[in-house]
Amino acid sequence: MCLKGNTMTAKNLAVICEGIIKRYVVGNQDFLALNKVNFEVRTGELMIISGPSGSGKTTLISVIAGILNYEEGECIIYDTHLNKMTETEKLAFRAKNIGFVFQQFNLIPTLTVAENVAIPLIINGMERHEANEKAAIVLEKVGLGNRINSSPRELSGGQQQRVAIARAIVHNPKMIVCDEPTSALDSVNGHNIMTILKDLSQDDSRALIVVTHDSRVFSFADRIAEMEDGKIIKISTQKVSI
Ligand SMILES: Nc1ncnc2c1ncn2[C@@H]1O[C@H](COP(=O)(O)OP(=O)(O)O)[C@@H](O)[C@H]1O
Ligand SMILES: [Mg+2]
């Protein structure tokens, strides 16, 4: 428990989701991907979301990160109501406050590794030269200091995943959201990445959300939420495999 007081106030909460409903429309069929999800993430914690494929994990973190709109309910991120913002406001909010590691990495192949990592800094107004220097420092931290001028296409899946993680943390966001961040990593690199993420989560104002199937990662969690059929079915604080 990282709460400083006895009562939980909005101050301690990075994420408050209440009754979130998200439907995908495929043809003339509606698919209920999030079925009244209630979910909270505290500041200073590393929350893992686990559960079978198709249970709604990526959908939930995409809603939380403001990437995906939802139909019903309320999602409040650091006291900001996502559905009360315009798309432009949401983009600016995300650029400043959120780092997101996509399951498929989503690196830009025409940019170098360092230029990919520098993107969030440039969006936030940093000079290109300074942004590239800062990107190089973070790339060093994830073990890719010698690949800054490479194209993402020249890297292995595991190296690309580390570039994606560097890009998500380079601008020091308040919230870091990672979709299966160790799926392409061997145990040494997976452990190194989780140690970096865990360190970042120790900041009292930051929150980390990590979607994973990887049981090697569970011991890094403060809490583990388990999803099934578009719902959170269990939250555990035990650092054991679920
Ligand atoms: N863009 C989409 N259009 C239609 N259905 C989708 C889309 N994205 C996800 N789904 C469906 O929603 C459900 C939840 O998907 P997802 O959130 O990706 O689950 P998970 O990340 O747990 O594997 C799945 O049944 C998936 O097929
Ligand atoms: Mg997924």
Side-chain angles (χ1 to χ4, degrees):
M1 206 61 164
C2 64
L3 297 180
K4 296 209 170 81
N6 290 327
T7 52
M8 188 180 289
T9 66
K11 262 190 165 172
N12 307 108
L13 294 173
V15 175
I16 305 172
C17 286
E18 273 179 19
I20 297 294
I21 290 185
K22 169 70 195 171
R23 289 187 191 87
Y24 290 113
V25 180
V26 184
N28 55 4
Q29 298 271 358
D30 254 19
F31 180 80
L32 193 56
L34 297 179
N35 185 4
K36 297 190 184 155
V37 170
N38 299 321
F39 185 54
E40 290 178 347
V41 183
R42 301 165 189 154
T43 53
E45 85 170 333
L46 194 156
M47 167 69 87
I48 278 182
I49 304 177
S50 198
S53 182
S55 56
K57 304 180 299 295
T58 297
T59 303
L60 177 58
I61 58 170
S62 303
V63 163
I64 289 170
I67 295 169
L68 208 55
N69 291 323
Y70 50 95
E71 280 80 48
E72 287 177 44
E74 187 61 282
C75 192
I76 303 167
I77 308 298
Y78 286 96
D79 293 330
T80 304
H81 291 243
L82 286 182
N83 68 355
K84 289 188 184 162
M85 281 192 275
T86 63
E87 288 303 315
T88 314
E89 285 168 343
K90 221 188 277 185
L91 270 178
F93 179 81
R94 270 175 47 200
K96 182 164 186 285
N97 298 301
I98 297 175
F100 198 97
V101 180
F102 293 89
Q103 205 162 2
Q104 308 302 332
F105 319 144
N106 293 9
L107 301 177
I108 299 173
T110 51
L111 299 180
T112 66
V113 162
E115 286 165 348
N116 266 279
V117 174
I119 293 169
L121 299 171
I122 290 168
I123 291 175
N124 282 299
M126 192 179 278
E127 291 281 330
R128 193 170 294 270
H129 177 68
E130 195 187 345
N132 283 340
E133 275 180 6
K134 196 153 181 223
I137 294 169
V138 179
L139 282 161
E140 185 74 44
K141 204 167 156 180
V142 299
L144 291 173
N146 57 346
R147 303 310 299 265
I148 55 176
N149 293 318
S150 301
S151 156
R153 279 187 283 236
E154 295 161 1
L155 304 184
S156 70
Q159 289 170 328
Q160 290 181 37
Q161 190 158 38
R162 283 184 279 152
V163 176
I165 290 161
R167 185 180 57 186
I169 66 179
V170 71
H171 54 310
N172 214 14
K174 274 187 183 169
M175 188 160 81
I176 299 168
V177 184
C178 307
D179 204 351
E180 310 271 5
T182 59
S183 60
L185 302 182
D186 59 40
S187 54
V188 172
N189 279 312
H191 193 272
N192 179 30
I193 287 299
M194 285 312 299
T195 305
I196 292 170
L197 295 177
K198 182 74 185 171
D199 279 354
L200 289 166
S201 76
Q202 309 281 310
D203 182 328
D204 273 355
S205 59
R206 185 177 287 125
L208 263 100
I209 305 174
V210 176
V211 165
T212 189
H213 280 106
D214 184 351
S215 57
R216 297 172 302 177
V217 166
F218 292 154
S219 63
F220 288 89
D222 293 302
R223 294 192 296 157
I224 300 174
E226 197 180 346
M227 283 195 83
E228 207 174 282
D229 295 334
K231 279 183 177 291
I232 305 268
I233 56 159
K234 184 169 130 192
I235 300 228
S236 101
T237 50
Q238 284 177 7
K239 296 178 179 181
V240 292
S241 303
I242 52 174

